[in-house]
């Protein structure tokens, strides 16, 4: 009788991808499964059928040079801590038997090989080979990344698009971003990131053994997103000169960045800033199966000397000076990943801060975290990792100092501005979720639209060298919008019973979100007289023609400084704000009837709200909707003019997808954006 042999091994990709919720990775040549759950493979035997009485099956699983061997049993009993393989005796086809391989919930993440071996009577051995990629499993209760609710898993693991919040707390900018985790090649790039890491190059065996732990994985990824210590993905650049690469504001998704990095032989992609670093890390973590979300901290402190105090310096004209080594970023973007922390005391599970932007060395390497959000709130500086650094980012005090010729004229302390708003995208909807209370105890509810005011009285803001009796506040009348005047009000109050003569200087400077301001582009000054107990209100506006050519995507630092001409005491109020850009509008023809594999039409429209003609390049993209990007030239458009561009696309997958468009203006340092969530149904 002819002996049996293995003719073919079927990885049953369609079934396994659906069972393991990895259907999005269908373009990968490898089978992609999640740990802590069995997957099925089928054998096609040649010759005689399999005989369980005289034949024996075993499976050898290999990760690099590490391996485990196990017999194939008829017991369906699996263990969350051990590799097992079994055949179901019910309805077993001995000519084409199915084998289930069950992985531990703590198995290492990576690309595995397996050898399926059949031992027949007489000691003859037949073998078949295969591969599979194993990811973390947030659906498995025994997995360290298990997150309890399905809507959380959909948002923080499976969602391939999102919003990044930028600008200022009073005038938020919601920037669309495509995480692209299911785009061809992205999975492989994320796995390459682990292989290229210094940890893997130093000791492949040790790296593979540690890859069971999301704490370890997240630290490796945090370091590898930036290129400071390794062959990481992104090169940071805050100089303003991006001629050797791409301006960070031009990126719209992670796929292009990861693809370029891989195709270049792992040379750093130029360039990234905080939101790009964070968004790419979010992609990598979601690919690896670790729940992840992008978080923005408004007024984020970078405290270089660790004293939880940042100094801001102004001169008597209201110009902000470039003196302090500390820096206050209008916003800073990082990620949070969900995991249990068995390496720490109890109560530290859940969201962990990780920051791939190269600001801080941790263990000698530019990475940050994972820092438990709960530990930051409770000020547990004794725990791992980098909690003092993150704590300062959301809790430092601001000392605002007026100086003249090296002499301190006035000092004001602000304990509220740093970390004034910490937010992420809400689950299932394109809007903001305020998570400030997760990081710090909120003293009192405050509006995100606020003004900076200061008083020369001894008050909760406690002033050094204070002159009594004068209160000044600076308030924007409304959130500024491009093409409209910036209207603001200065209110000055004399709280004493004698007349005061006050010198007033108001100054506006353009600034980048993470730098001190540049030169003054608008200023005004004068003298006001305040009668006893009088309140005077001064209204001012900056015309569009005065700011449009200066700021673009930048922000404005606006400050008012008052000098009591009798006592020569000083008081200051300031505000930093961005100007909302006009939006691109996207409309889908018959949007309730969008189905996969059928051509659809969208219309992108733009109205020029600027005071002069603008034109540029319109780029449209959408993972699962459009392969790559489509570019259109938009001819110069007069002020108030409107243009529409029709786009045809064919959705390739079902689900909710993001169609996004960006218009890069040629004669203004600004990019106009818009997005539309598209529900793609089955045909």
């Amino acid at each position: 009788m002819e002996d049996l042999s293995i003719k073919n091994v079927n990885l049953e990709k369609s079934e396994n991808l659906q069972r393991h919720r990895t259907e999005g990775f269908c373009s990968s040549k490898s089978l992609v499964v999640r740990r802590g759950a069995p997957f099925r493979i089928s054998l096609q035997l040649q010759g005689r059928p399999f005989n369980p009485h005289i034949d024996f099956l075993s499976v050898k699983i290999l990760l690099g040079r590490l391996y485990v061997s196990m017999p194939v049993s008829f017991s369906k009993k699996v263990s969350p801590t051990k590799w097992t393989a079994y055949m179901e005796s019910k309805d077993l086809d001995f000519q084409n038997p199915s084998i289930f391989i069950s992985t531990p919930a703590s198995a290492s993440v990576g690309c595995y090989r397996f050898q399926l071996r059949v031992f027949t009577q007489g000691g003859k051995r037949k073998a078949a080979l295969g591969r599979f990629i194993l990811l973390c499993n947030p659906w498995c209760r025994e997995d360290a990344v298990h997150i309890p609710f399905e809507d959380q898993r959909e948002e923080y693991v499976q969602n391939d698009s999102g919003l990044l919040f930028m600008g200022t707390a009073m005038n938020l900018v919601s920037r669309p971003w495509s995480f692209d985790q299911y785009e061809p090649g992205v999975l492989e790039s994320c796995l390459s990131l682990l292989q290229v890491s210094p940890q893997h190059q130093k000791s492949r065996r040790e790296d593979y053994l540690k890859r069971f732990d999301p704490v370890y994985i997240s630290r490796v990824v945090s370091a590898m997103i930036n290129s400071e210590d390794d062959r990481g993905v992104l090169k940071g650049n805050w100089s303003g000169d991006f001629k050797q690469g791409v301006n960070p504001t031009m990126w719209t998704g992670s796929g292009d960045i990861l693809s370029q990095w891989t195709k270049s032989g792992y040379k750093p992609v130029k360039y990234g800033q905080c939101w790009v670093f964070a968004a790419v890390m979010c992609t990598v973590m979601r690919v690896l199966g670790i729940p992840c979300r992008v978080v923005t901290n408004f007024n984020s402190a970078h405290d270089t000397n660790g004293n939880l105090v940042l100094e801001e310096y102004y001169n008597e004209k209201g110009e902000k000076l470039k003196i302090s080594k500390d820096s206050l970023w209008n916003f800073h973007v990082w990620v949070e990943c969900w995991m249990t922390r068995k390496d720490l005391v109890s109560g530290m599970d859940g969201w962990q801060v990780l920051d791939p932007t190269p600001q801080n060395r941790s263990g000698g390497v530019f990475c940050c975290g994972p820092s438990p959000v709960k530990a930051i709130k409770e000020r547990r500086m004794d725990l791992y990792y980098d909690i003092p650094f993150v704590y300062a980012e959301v809790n430092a005090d601001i000392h605002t100092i007026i100086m003249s010729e090296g002499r301190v004229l006035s000092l004001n302390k602000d304990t509220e501005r740093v970390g004034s708003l910490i937010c992420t995208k809400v689950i299932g909807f394109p809007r903001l979720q305020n998570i400030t209370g997760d990081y710090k105890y909120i003293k009192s509810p405050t509006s995100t639209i606020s003004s900076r005011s200061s008083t020369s009285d001894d008050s909760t803001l406690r002033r050094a060298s204070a002159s009594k009796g004068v209160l000044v506040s600076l308030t924007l009348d409304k959130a500024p919008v491009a093409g409209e005047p910036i209207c603001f009000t200065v209110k000055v109050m004399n709280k004493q019973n004698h007349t005061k003569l006050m010198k007033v200087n108001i100054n506006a400077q353009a600034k980048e979100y993470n730098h001190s301001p540049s030169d003054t582009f608008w200023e005004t000054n004068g003298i006001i007289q305040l009668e006893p107990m009088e309140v005077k209100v001064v209204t001012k506006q900056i015309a569009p023609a005065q700011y449009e050519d200066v700021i673009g995507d930048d922000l404005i630092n606006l400050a008012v400084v008052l000098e009591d001409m009798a006592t020569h005491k000083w008081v200051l109020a300031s505000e930093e704000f961005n100007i909302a850009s006009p939006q691109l509008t996207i409309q889908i023809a018959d949007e309730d009837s969008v189905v996969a594999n059928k051509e659809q039409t969208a219309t992108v429209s733009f109205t020029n709200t600027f005071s002069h003609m603008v034109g540029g390049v319109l780029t449209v993209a959408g993972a699962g909707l459009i392969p790559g990007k489509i570019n259109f030239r938009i001819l110069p458009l007069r002020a108030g003019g409107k243009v529409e561009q029709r786009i045809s696309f064919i959705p390739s997958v079902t689900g909710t997808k993001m169609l996004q468009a960006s218009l890069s203006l040629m004669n203004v340092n600004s990019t106009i954006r818009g997005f539309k969530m598209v529900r793609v149904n089955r045909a």
Side-chain angles (χ1 to χ4, degrees):
M1 184 178 180
E2 184 182 358
D3 205 356
L4 69 83
S5 62
I6 302 173
K7 182 180 180 181
N8 184 44
V9 176
N10 186 342
L11 297 180
E12 304 292 352
K13 281 187 70 172
S14 179
E15 173 191 324
N16 287 317
L17 292 179
Q18 184 177 2
R19 178 180 292 181
H20 286 255
R21 299 173 178 85
T22 52
E23 302 102 309
F25 300 118
C26 59
S27 64
S28 174
K29 295 179 181 178
S30 299
L31 171 64
V32 184
V33 293
R34 300 191 186 277
R35 63 189 188 182
F39 62 92
R40 183 173 76 92
I41 59 175
S42 299
L43 300 182
Q44 185 180 357
L45 301 180
Q46 196 166 261
R48 67 173 176 82
F50 177 79
N51 185 340
H53 299 292
I54 61 174
D55 301 322
F56 174 74
L57 278 168
S58 74
V59 180
K60 185 177 184 180
I61 306 291
L62 302 98
L63 180 62
R65 294 185 178 180
L66 300 175
Y67 70 89
V68 60
S69 295
M70 57 210 164
V72 178
S73 71
F74 285 91
S75 171
K76 194 177 176 180
K77 186 176 180 181
V78 298
S79 167
T81 60
K82 295 180 180 179
W83 290 86
T84 55
Y86 62 90
M87 289 191 287
E88 288 187 331
S89 55
K90 183 181 179 182
D91 300 324
L92 181 61
D93 181 347
F94 289 106
Q95 193 68 49
N96 300 289
S98 290
I99 297 172
F100 292 86
I101 298 174
S102 182
T103 66
S106 58
S108 293
V109 169
C111 186
Y112 286 77
R113 294 171 291 138
F114 69 84
Q115 298 175 357
L116 190 61
R117 296 176 290 187
V118 181
F119 297 88
T120 63
Q121 200 170 33
K124 293 182 180 180
R125 185 178 72 177
K126 307 291 182 181
L129 306 175
R131 292 178 178 271
F132 63 92
I133 292 169
L134 190 63
L135 307 177
C136 294
N137 190 353
W139 285 265
C140 175
R141 293 184 181 278
E142 291 79 18
D143 197 311
V145 303
H146 174 253
I147 192 166
F149 300 108
E150 183 60 24
D151 61 346
Q152 294 175 324
R153 296 186 285 260
E154 289 179 3
E155 180 69 42
Y156 303 134
V157 181
Q158 295 181 297
N159 196 354
D160 62 355
S161 66
L163 296 178
L164 314 180
F165 296 104
M166 304 166 67
T168 58
M170 69 159 291
N171 200 10
L172 286 165
V173 174
S174 302
R175 175 168 294 184
W177 189 270
S178 184
F179 295 116
D180 292 331
Q181 65 259 43
Y182 304 125
E183 293 298 285
V186 169
L187 168 66
E188 290 72 18
S189 293
C190 295
L191 293 170
S192 295
L193 184 146
L194 299 179
Q195 301 296 103
V196 174
S197 71
Q199 292 87 340
H200 188 76
Q201 298 300 312
K202 181 180 179 181
S203 173
R204 298 186 178 192
R205 183 179 187 277
E206 186 175 347
D207 176 57
Y208 280 138
L209 287 171
K210 288 182 176 180
R211 279 199 209 167
F212 76 94
D213 182 6
V215 174
Y216 172 78
I217 294 171
S218 65
R219 283 184 65 76
V220 170
V221 173
S222 176
M224 281 297 297
I225 296 298
N226 70 74
S227 62
E228 294 303 306
D229 309 292
D230 44 44
R231 299 165 71 191
V233 177
L234 279 160
K235 177 68 176 175
N237 185 345
W238 289 266
S239 70
D241 180 2
F242 307 113
K243 294 176 183 176
Q244 302 300 314
V246 176
N247 185 325
T249 63
M250 299 305 295
W251 297 114
T252 59
S254 305
D256 288 344
I257 295 169
L258 290 166
S259 175
Q260 183 177 325
W261 177 69
T262 304
K263 291 177 180 177
S264 71
Y266 312 116
K267 294 179 181 178
V269 176
K270 300 176 181 179
Y271 293 103
Q273 291 184 6
C274 66
W275 71 91
V276 186
F277 287 112
V280 173
M281 182 165 183
C282 187
T283 295
V284 176
M285 301 309 279
R286 288 185 183 184
V287 165
L288 299 179
I290 300 174
C292 188
R293 63 188 187 183
V294 180
V295 170
T296 302
N297 176 39
F298 286 95
N299 297 322
S300 188
H302 188 181
D303 181 19
T304 55
N305 58 10
N307 65 350
L308 293 177
V309 173
L310 274 70
E311 293 86 13
E312 292 184 334
Y313 294 91
Y314 288 81
N315 64 19
E316 63 271 30
K317 295 180 180 179
E319 292 178 309
K320 197 172 186 181
L321 306 175
K322 304 172 185 178
I323 296 178
S324 178
K325 293 181 180 179
D326 295 332
S327 59
L328 181 69
W329 293 17
N330 292 94
F331 65 89
H332 181 47
V333 186
W334 57 64
V335 301
E336 290 176 356
C337 291
W338 181 278
M339 64 189 75
T340 57
R341 292 299 300 270
K342 296 177 182 178
D343 58 323
L344 300 179
V345 297
S346 63
M348 294 297 129
D349 299 341
W351 290 115
Q352 316 284 320
V353 171
L354 288 139
D355 190 350
T357 299
Q359 297 183 95
N360 176 57
R361 287 192 183 273
S362 177
V365 177
F366 275 108
C367 69
C368 180
S371 306
V373 173
K374 294 174 183 175
I376 296 164
K377 185 171 184 175
E378 299 298 333
R379 202 174 180 178
R380 290 297 305 270
M381 305 296 188
D382 56 316
L383 301 179
Y384 295 123
Y385 290 91
D386 309 306
I387 293 166
F389 181 81
V390 182
Y391 180 87
E393 288 185 296
V394 300
N395 283 293
D397 294 344
I398 303 293
H399 288 187
T400 303
I401 301 164
I402 304 175
M403 295 192 68
S404 177
E405 299 178 350
R407 184 168 59 95
V408 174
L409 304 177
S410 172
L411 184 148
N412 174 68
K413 299 178 182 179
D414 189 338
T415 61
E416 303 297 323
R417 186 164 25 142
V418 169
S420 59
L421 173 64
I422 307 170
C423 63
T424 188
K425 176 187 172 296
V426 75
I427 292 175
F429 298 95
R431 60 174 184 260
L432 172 149
Q433 178 184 352
N434 187 337
I435 57 172
T436 312
D438 294 348
Y439 281 80
K440 57 205 298 187
Y441 290 98
I442 308 299
K443 295 178 182 178
S444 60
T446 57
S447 169
T448 58
I449 299 180
S450 60
S451 65
R452 290 268 163 258
S453 63
S454 62
T455 174
S456 58
D457 278 10
D458 224 6
S459 69
T460 54
L461 293 177
R462 295 194 61 81
R463 288 189 156 277
S465 64
S467 61
K468 291 189 176 183
V470 175
L471 174 71
V472 60
S473 67
L474 171 63
T475 308
L476 293 169
D477 296 351
K478 65 175 183 176
V481 177
E484 299 179 9
I486 300 169
C487 301
F488 62 95
T489 300
V490 176
K491 184 183 291 186
V492 187
M493 181 178 184
N494 181 6
K495 299 179 71 175
Q496 294 187 321
N497 59 4
H498 59 269
T499 301
K500 288 181 177 288
L501 204 59
M502 307 295 296
K503 185 184 291 184
V504 181
N505 288 294
I506 307 176
N507 186 283
Q509 298 163 276
K511 75 178 297 289
E512 295 180 35
Y513 72 97
N514 63 321
H515 282 171
S516 297
S518 56
D519 294 338
T520 295
F521 71 86
W522 180 91
E523 63 181 334
T524 186
N525 53 66
I527 295 175
I528 61 172
Q529 180 172 306
L530 294 170
E531 299 303 324
M533 309 306 292
E534 183 185 8
V535 176
K536 272 201 172 166
V537 176
V538 179
T539 59
K540 295 288 183 180
Q541 67 178 36
I542 306 174
Q546 295 174 297
Y547 68 76
E548 283 179 346
D549 294 333
V550 180
I551 64 156
D553 284 332
D554 294 340
L555 300 94
I556 290 178
N557 181 273
L558 184 65
V560 54
V561 172
L562 276 74
E563 178 191 5
D564 187 324
M565 297 180 69
T567 64
H568 300 290
K569 297 298 182 181
W570 304 77
V571 63
L572 174 146
S574 66
E575 184 66 83
E576 290 185 348
F577 57 90
N578 56 305
I579 296 179
S581 297
Q583 297 289 304
L584 296 177
T585 301
I586 304 176
Q587 293 182 316
I588 307 290
D590 198 13
E591 63 180 277
D592 294 330
S593 302
V594 177
V595 295
N597 303 313
K598 182 181 178 182
E599 187 173 3
Q600 312 290 333
T601 302
T603 302
V604 181
S605 58
F606 167 66
T607 301
N608 179 15
T609 61
F610 293 93
S611 61
H612 49 77
M613 295 182 72
V614 295
V617 177
L618 175 68
T619 302
V620 182
L625 301 173
I626 299 173
K629 291 182 169 63
I630 306 173
N631 293 314
F632 303 92
R633 177 78 176 178
I634 302 298
L635 296 175
L637 187 66
R638 63 176 175 79
K642 182 177 181 180
V643 64
E644 293 185 345
Q645 178 66 55
R646 287 170 60 86
I647 297 140
S648 295
F649 64 97
I650 302 175
S652 58
V653 294
T654 59
T656 301
K657 299 297 173 183
M658 175 187 282
L659 183 65
Q660 59 170 310
S662 59
L663 176 58
S664 178
L665 301 179
M666 303 298 289
N667 53 342
V668 179
N669 178 29
S670 186
T671 301
I672 313 301
R673 296 178 176 84
F675 70 95
K676 177 81 171 178
M677 303 310 297
V678 182
R679 177 68 188 175
V680 183
N681 302 300
R682 296 188 184 277

